[in-house]
Amino acid sequence: MTDIGFFLSEFHFIRPVWLLLLPVIAAIWVLIRYRARKAGVPDAGLAPHLRDALTLRTNDRKRLLPVDWVAAIISLALIGAAGPAWTRIPDPFVAQTAPMVVILKVTPSMTANDVVPTRLERAKQKTEDLLKLRAGARTALVAYAGTAHLVVPMTNDPTVIKPYLEGLDPEIMPKKGADAVTAFETATAVLKNEETSGAVLFVLDEIGSQDVDTLNAADDPDVAIGALEMLSEGVTGSELANLDFVRVRVSPDDADLRTLDRALNADYRRALNQSGTQPWDDRGWILAWPAALLALLWFRRGWTMRWLIIIVTVSAFGAPESAKADVADWFFTADQRGRLAYQNKDYKAAADLFSDPMWKARALYRDGQYEAAAEAYERIETPEAAFARGLAHIRNRAYRDGVRAFEETLELDPDYPGAAENLKTAKEIVDYVETTREQSDTGEDRGIGADEVVFDNEENQGAETAIGEEGDSSGLLTAQQWMNLVDTRTSDFLRQRFAIEAAEQ
């Protein structure tokens, strides 16, 4: 579904009762305009030729009158008051983009250099750019050649995907070929575990005719499918033109990714509208701009100025004393500018701008400042704030504080959605950390101790042992020796993992 299709399917008015005044305005407009047309120069005492000379544009039936502009301004104001809306206000704790599985083709054909530096390397760069564009959204990565493999399961942390993405190379794939259908089945299996509908994005150069027929026959309303063609201009991909789903050819900028993201997210945004609990986002303010521009015509000769004087007077007395020289401050409050920054995903700027404590805390949370977000939520005594504070503590690995926050949520509202489940999970994490700590004392005979870093261990379970330092003669491995034992080549790890999975298949 395109953006236009999504808009048409979701557009409605929050307060439609205001629209009932439109026929009244139309009737008054017709009446005044009719009278204005009838009014003219008196016939008595004037010769016909003098009357025609003194009358201006009497035959111009298309001439606009002041009442036309006034009717347009009032109509725009009424439509804005009716509250046009087609999306809900974003929930800061729910990703605003669909969960997506990126399917990357890793075959020798992807090493062609018609797309600089190569098709595969450019595909990796585009995938990284897509992760940045979908900040905070859940994304998984599947690679395929003759076999298909889930490289990284669903995660909202792009830094997890990046090293595995860099390690993908045709040489590590266990079987030659290009089985796009199996890759698609792997991706849809991942999406079935998600709570909402999702999307699948192929990043490839060409596809076989048999795979095209199978993919076109896959009719799942919960899965949107798209393809990013890694082909230069003038190069045609085998059977790619026969795909029924959204296809975009790679571009030097991010226009291709934005087009795909909008198209693949339309169904997900519609699902959020239908199942979401957030209030609708009132877009009536958009109509204030054309109404204000039309109001400027009051300066024309013959137009009344009394309404304009009243508006200017009210605006002057209603202006805040702390107004700044910034032009944006003339039209928007700090919270409104914070909201604009929030919608543009500039969460750091939004956190600085918001004066509303709840929205400030939400912006801090989305910016990854979990400790600051928890402190901000602590100043708000509502179940929603307590629940959000618990999530912030968990993100910050302060698990016991998270337990306390979820317990407070249930005290304020025993039926708060998700509080009981999150409390149970947080307690399990605390038990696991403490149990691991207790079992970390492995004894002297094995010669290996536990790391000094332990998160959230208030019970002080387990012994305090550490990896040996340089020059330690006790027989422990030094920290440098431990690092030397770690194989940091992701491609070697993926080669072995893919081989094992191929053998099992």
Side-chain angles (χ1 to χ4, degrees):
M1 178 183 293
T2 63
D3 280 354
I4 296 178
F6 169 77
F7 171 81
L8 294 176
S9 65
E10 298 298 307
F11 181 84
H12 69 284
F13 291 98
I14 302 174
R15 299 172 294 275
V17 67
W18 284 98
L19 299 178
L20 297 177
L21 294 176
L22 287 176
V24 178
I25 298 301
I28 296 174
W29 169 71
V30 171
L31 179 61
I32 296 177
R33 207 173 197 283
Y34 177 78
R35 290 182 176 179
R37 288 296 185 187
K38 286 294 183 181
V41 180
D43 293 335
L46 288 176
H49 66 283
L50 293 177
R51 182 179 181 279
D52 292 340
L54 294 173
T55 304
L56 299 178
R57 304 175 67 178
T58 55
N59 295 324
D60 187 1
R61 297 297 180 182
K62 297 181 180 180
R63 183 167 63 92
L64 293 175
L65 300 177
V67 68
D68 300 333
W69 302 107
V70 173
I73 293 171
I74 297 177
S75 299
L76 288 172
L78 289 176
I79 296 174
W86 54 92
T87 58
R88 293 185 182 272
I89 294 176
D91 187 340
F93 304 111
V94 176
Q96 298 305 306
T97 50
M100 178 183 291
V101 180
V102 178
I103 300 178
L104 179 60
K105 184 179 180 182
V106 188
T107 62
S109 67
M110 290 288 285
T111 60
N113 59 2
D114 58 319
V115 177
V116 180
T118 64
R119 295 176 182 176
L120 182 58
E121 291 303 316
R122 187 64 176 146
K124 294 178 181 180
Q125 295 170 3
K126 283 292 182 179
T127 303
E128 291 185 22
D129 293 340
L130 179 66
L131 294 174
K132 295 177 182 178
L133 179 64
R134 291 167 39 84
R138 291 174 60 78
T139 310
L141 177 63
V142 171
Y144 80 95
T147 56
H149 306 272
L150 177 60
V151 182
V152 180
M154 279 291 180
T155 177
N156 54 7
D157 186 357
T159 60
V160 175
I161 299 179
K162 185 176 180 179
Y164 292 95
L165 184 65
E166 293 174 349
L168 292 176
D169 188 87
E171 295 181 357
I172 71 173
M173 304 304 290
K175 184 179 179 181
K176 303 299 181 182
D179 191 354
V181 173
T182 302
F184 179 74
E185 294 173 349
T186 304
T188 53
V190 174
L191 289 175
K192 287 181 179 179
N193 296 325
E194 298 298 303
E195 298 180 355
T196 60
S197 59
V200 171
L201 176 62
F202 282 93
V203 184
L204 73 173
D205 54 355
E206 58 184 4
I207 194 169
S209 58
Q210 184 176 358
D211 290 342
V212 168
D213 296 336
T214 304
L215 292 174
N216 285 336
D219 185 15
D220 189 344
D222 293 332
V223 179
I225 311 175
L228 178 60
E229 301 177 19
M230 304 309 300
L231 297 171
S232 62
E233 294 294 334
V235 178
T236 58
S238 174
E239 301 294 335
L240 277 175
N242 297 324
L243 291 173
D244 291 340
F245 42 81
V246 182
R247 295 182 299 105
V248 176
R249 181 160 294 200
V250 62
S251 64
D253 54 12
D254 61 352
D256 49 356
L257 298 180
R258 293 188 179 278
T259 300
L260 284 168
D261 187 57
R262 286 195 301 267
L264 297 180
N265 271 316
D267 292 333
Y268 178 70
R269 287 180 290 168
R270 185 172 60 179
L272 288 181
N273 284 349
Q274 296 173 353
S275 61
T277 58
Q278 291 289 101
W280 288 98
D281 191 1
D282 190 343
R283 305 295 181 91
W285 61 270
I286 297 176
L287 299 177
W289 294 105
L293 292 176
L294 290 177
L296 294 178
L297 294 172
W298 279 338
F299 288 98
R300 295 184 62 187
R301 178 180 299 178
W303 285 59
T304 177
M305 300 294 295
R306 287 175 293 180
W307 291 1
L308 184 61
I309 293 174
I310 294 175
I311 293 175
V312 172
T313 304
V314 172
S315 301
F317 282 102
E321 296 180 0
S322 59
K324 301 178 181 178
D326 189 356
V327 176
D329 293 345
W330 298 353
F331 303 98
F332 301 103
T333 65
D335 284 336
Q336 289 172 334
R337 288 184 289 125
R339 177 67 184 282
L340 292 174
Y342 189 95
Q343 290 179 337
N344 292 329
K345 298 183 179 180
D346 189 357
Y347 302 119
K348 181 176 178 58
D352 295 335
L353 289 169
F354 275 126
S355 58
D356 183 278
M358 192 67 178
W359 277 102
K360 188 179 189 71
R362 288 173 174 174
L364 289 169
Y365 182 92
R366 293 302 295 268
D367 190 46
Q369 303 180 50
Y370 302 120
E371 185 175 358
E375 293 177 357
Y377 280 123
E378 195 167 5
R379 303 186 186 99
I380 310 171
E381 297 181 358
T382 63
E384 181 183 2
F387 181 79
R389 187 170 77 250
L391 294 178
H393 282 311
I394 295 299
R395 287 278 192 174
N396 199 39
R397 297 187 180 183
Y399 304 119
R400 281 191 174 275
D401 290 334
V403 169
R404 298 186 186 101
F406 292 134
E407 290 175 343
E408 181 181 341
T409 304
L410 293 174
E411 290 177 2
L412 296 172
D413 183 0
D415 299 324
Y416 193 87
E421 294 81 356
N422 279 277
L423 176 60
K424 179 181 178 182
T425 303
K427 287 183 176 180
E428 290 175 352
I429 293 175
V430 172
D431 292 340
Y432 173 78
V433 170
E434 293 181 347
T435 301
T436 304
R437 176 64 176 175
E438 186 175 5
Q439 295 175 350
S440 65
D441 185 9
T442 56
E444 296 181 357
D445 54 334
R446 298 184 65 178
I448 301 176
D451 293 344
E452 292 180 350
V453 180
V454 177
F455 295 107
D456 206 1
N457 183 34
E458 294 184 1
E459 300 298 330
N460 293 322
Q461 300 186 26
E464 292 289 345
T465 56
I467 295 177
E469 300 296 333
E470 292 290 347
D472 191 347
S473 59
S474 62
L476 297 178
L477 292 176
T478 65
Q480 184 61 40
Q481 289 171 330
W482 271 109
M483 293 301 297
N484 292 337
L485 292 175
V486 178
D487 187 356
T488 57
R489 294 189 60 186
T490 311
S491 57
D492 292 340
F493 166 74
L494 291 176
R495 184 200 306 272
Q496 297 176 4
R497 204 187 88 185
F498 291 171
I500 294 173
E501 291 175 354
E504 292 176 350
Q505 293 173 6

